[in-house]
Amino acid sequence: MCGIIAAATDRSVGKLLIKGLFKMEYRGYDSAGIAMHSENNVVHLRTLGKVKNLEEKMIADKPKGKVGIAHTRWATHGEPSEINAHPHQSNDRVFIVHNGIIENYLSLKEELTDEGYAFNSKTDSELIAHLLDNFLKAEDSLLSAMQKLKNKLDGAYAVAALDQREPESFVVARNRSPLVIGLGKKENFAASDPLALGNLTSKFLILEDGDVAKISPDLVEIYDAKDKLANREKLTIDINAEASSKGNFKHYMEKEIYEQPQAVLNTLDGRIGGEDVLENIFGEGSSEMFAKVKRIQIIACGTSLHAGRVAANWFSAISGLPTQLDYASEYRYKNPYVDQDTLLVTISQSGETADTLAALRYADDKGYLASLSICNVPTSSLARESDFLLLTNAGPEIGVASTKAFTTQLTALMLLTLSLAKAAGKNPLLRARMINALRLLPEKISEALKLKNDIMDFAPEIANKDNALFLGRGIFYPIAKEGALKLKEISYIHAEAYPAGELKHGPLALIDQEMPVVAIAPEYELAEKLVSNLEEVKARGGALYVFGNAKEKLDLSTGRYISMPECDFLLTPILYSIPLQILSYEVALLRGTDIDQPRNLAKSVTVE
Ligand code: G6P
């Protein structure tokens, strides 16, 4: 999964493409490259490592061009190296960048080898360049070669290509990988994410699967899956430059942590009124559909699935609905049994996670009542393909480790819980209580953010350890899981989460002075039990870090107690996520890791 960008303009294109790549580094950052039509040839530059290295090479080489394609990579086939970096080329004529995976690449590679093509890289992408070159022996344009190509490829792809003999334009194709066209004045663009084009245009066309388009400075011609000329919906997306910059923060992740009060406010904006949730906030007809729901199936990956795990508790407690949860990558392979009147809920920040999308598409004819998505990106495939949608409106999240996307997903899932309860006429008093608590939530989050100094105080004690354990019970277990995930993602400390009651069934063997134990322990029905679990840790010399609001109940002679602001019990999972995010961030800062772009990861995983 990678980021691609292409532009046809009558000004110098190099800087513009590099700027776009910087904005898409969240999609991958192990190598980068660019190809541009120059006087009589195509300039082709590739570098190992981040986009910065490519930028330096561009500054040194000063290549010129007005039409070009560029790529930032997250390796799937073939290790990160200059040779495996995109663009790939064939016969110095065709140059391509690709995001996705070509599933039938081995058989296509064999065919092309028989035709005399030699492969330089270990990627599945290089064959796209050779295939296009091969088609161009009979076809009279790159556009028709691309139309032929699409019938050959199985898998997911967003491709942009240059033909050295057509210096005024580039051609793109899309199937199951995101690709948008940006419309400018006497210049047009394409990219994996509108964010990459934010400083260039606010007018976008969203391509559909099977589309091929030829793009020059004056013209955008789109052909659909059947090669018929097609019109695509024009969208205006104003990408606020500030929203996608770091501002005065050291990292995007830090900025995004501190943006959470506003982000949650944005999720709530226009969705609650008086003492209840408003009607049809998930789309026309959603309230009517909710009245028929008997069960929920949640599908998501990573942090988004943790949000789903919390929501499963809410659905049961407030809406009276049972919930089944699955990792999107597992769901399709278990022959899911679909009960009548089950609502399918997918949760995804990006809306482009390949596993989640594949699960949604797989579920399409399985007899669900409807599909509903909680998503942060309005133009994403998930947002467009679900029957009902609630946008989290968190603004762009760029740090790879998810923070504001998570708390806004939780907020949106509480709105879903309340909408389901309302449609079934359940729990009006509890609903009113939750609406009031939601109104207070941004303020509570601001208070929790003030714990930064307390957390910085003990972060060094965790930063010099190799392992950590996170404990929580009930509705806090998913928060413990999210805390552990955050720590391992950005500090590379091995961290695991357990429901505290499970400690004695195995993990207790790991406890010694080298094992920090982070516990989420607000006052609630299981609190006493949790205290006994923590005593078990203390008795074995484990270092305890407890986040709670009832210090007096815990005789903590060793370890730390972090007193949390009070808030409605059912919303505490959202509030307690905040200090755990700060803890991971501060620990990672001390360990000097690459916080926004941790090793081996990418934000938007568009391969299965
Ligand atoms: C990647 C990211 C995670 C994210 C997961 C699901 O693994 O690194 O932070 O939780 O994808 O992403 P989604 O966009 O579907 O929420």
Side-chain angles (χ1 to χ4, degrees), residues 38-57:
S38 200
E39 303 235 314
N40 294 317
N41 63 342
V42 174
V43 191
H44 186 201
L45 298 176
R46 295 183 292 177
T47 48
L48 181 61
K50 293 192 175 185
V51 174
K52 179 167 57 63
N53 298 353
L54 181 65
E55 186 187 38
E56 278 164 15
K57 196 161 182 172

Side-chain angles (χ1 to χ4, degrees), residues 25 31 34 48 51 110 158 227 327-328 331 334 361 379 407 470 485 487 532 540 552 572:
E25 266 193 313
S31 52
I34 193 165
L48 181 61
V51 174
E110 243 175 65
D227 299 342
Y327 291 106
Y331 167 77
K334 62 172 230 183
R361 288 169 182 161
T379 54
T407 45
F470 285 69
L485 177 67
L487 190 69
S532 331
R540 283 150 187 93
E552 64 290 349
T572 40

Side-chain angles (χ1 to χ4, degrees), residues 275-293:
E275 298 217 306
D276 223 331
V277 63
L278 298 178
E279 292 292 315
N280 289 324
I281 58 170
F282 292 80
E284 216 37 58
S286 54
S287 297
E288 206 179 309
M289 179 273 291
F290 286 152
K292 299 184 195 143
V293 176

Side-chain angles (χ1 to χ4, degrees), residues 60 78 105 188 197 205 251 263 269 274 321 327 332 457 499:
Y105 89 104
N188 292 306
L197 305 175
L205 302 172
H251 297 96
D269 189 32
L321 294 169
Y327 291 106
R332 282 186 296 158
D457 209 32

Side-chain angles (χ1 to χ4, degrees), residues 5-292:
I5 179 167
T9 162
D10 63 0
R11 54 177 162 147
S12 174
V13 85
K15 256 196 197 154
L16 176 162
L17 293 175
I18 294 286
K19 257 192 177 173
L21 287 186
F22 273 124
K23 296 213 175 115
M24 284 191 295
E25 266 193 313
Y26 73 86
R27 304 177 70 86
Y29 34 84
D30 63 43
S31 52
I34 193 165
M36 293 185 296
H37 283 296
S38 200
E39 303 235 314
N40 294 317
N41 63 342
V42 174
V43 191
H44 186 201
L45 298 176
R46 295 183 292 177
T47 48
L48 181 61
K50 293 192 175 185
V51 174
K52 179 167 57 63
N53 298 353
L54 181 65
E55 186 187 38
E56 278 164 15
K57 196 161 182 172
M58 297 273 289
I59 292 170
D61 290 11
K62 301 192 183 57
K64 297 221 164 14
K66 296 178 173 179
V67 176
I69 59 178
H71 188 270
T72 178
R73 179 168 188 250
W74 184 81
T76 54
H77 297 60
E79 79 280 3
S81 69
E82 201 173 307
I83 264 305
N84 288 330
H86 299 220
H88 293 287
Q89 63 87 22
S90 188
N91 282 328
D92 287 331
R93 177 176 179 184
V94 177
F95 295 77
I96 67 100
V97 288
H98 167 224
N99 170 36
I101 287 201
I102 305 305
E103 283 159 10
N104 56 340
Y105 89 104
L106 285 176
S107 61
L108 291 175
K109 196 168 168 181
E110 243 175 65
E111 271 179 42
L112 286 160
T113 310
D114 291 346
E115 295 262 355
Y117 283 97
F119 283 78
N120 292 311
S121 74
K122 296 270 183 303
T123 66
D124 56 332
S125 308
E126 186 183 347
L127 66 84
I128 298 175
H130 296 315
L131 271 175
L132 287 171
D133 182 71
N134 205 24
F135 284 132
L136 278 166
K137 290 176 184 158
E139 298 297 323
D140 61 357
S141 71
L142 184 60
L143 175 74
S144 50
M146 191 69 100
Q147 284 170 330
K148 281 260 151 37
L149 174 99
K150 108 186 150 191
N151 301 325
K152 274 280 209 186
L153 299 181
D154 290 340
Y157 53 85
V159 176
L162 299 180
D163 176 359
Q164 189 256 335
R165 299 187 195 169
E166 297 178 33
E168 302 292 320
S169 58
F170 65 89
V171 170
V172 296
R174 170 197 166 133
N175 190 50
R176 287 164 41 202
S177 287
L179 192 63
V180 300
I181 292 178
L183 305 172
K185 266 197 199 131
K186 288 209 180 308
E187 52 183 9
N188 292 306
F189 319 95
S192 305
D193 185 337
L195 196 66
L197 305 175
N199 55 331
L200 299 166
T201 182
S202 58
K203 301 213 166 14
F204 293 93
L205 302 172
I206 315 292
L207 291 181
E208 293 183 6
D209 286 347
D211 282 355
V212 170
K214 178 177 175 177
I215 299 171
S216 57
D218 305 307
L219 201 65
V220 172
E221 271 172 46
I222 303 175
Y223 296 86
D224 67 11
K226 295 191 172 136
D227 299 342
K228 295 252 167 349
L229 211 53
N231 283 321
R232 293 288 171 245
E233 187 192 354
K234 203 185 262 182
L235 288 181
T236 303
I237 310 170
D238 281 313
I239 293 155
N240 173 351
E242 209 179 288
S244 57
S245 87
K246 261 188 264 188
N248 292 328
F249 291 92
K250 274 199 231 58
H251 297 96
Y252 283 109
M253 182 184 178
E254 188 189 22
K255 176 179 177 236
E256 287 154 7
I257 288 175
Y258 289 91
E259 276 174 352
Q260 288 177 104
Q262 185 59 45
V264 165
L265 211 57
N266 294 349
T267 310
L268 294 173
D269 189 32
R271 279 133 181 201
I272 55 179
E275 298 217 306
D276 223 331
V277 63
L278 298 178
E279 292 292 315
N280 289 324
I281 58 170
F282 292 80
E284 216 37 58
S286 54
S287 297
E288 206 179 309
M289 179 273 291
F290 286 152
K292 299 184 195 143

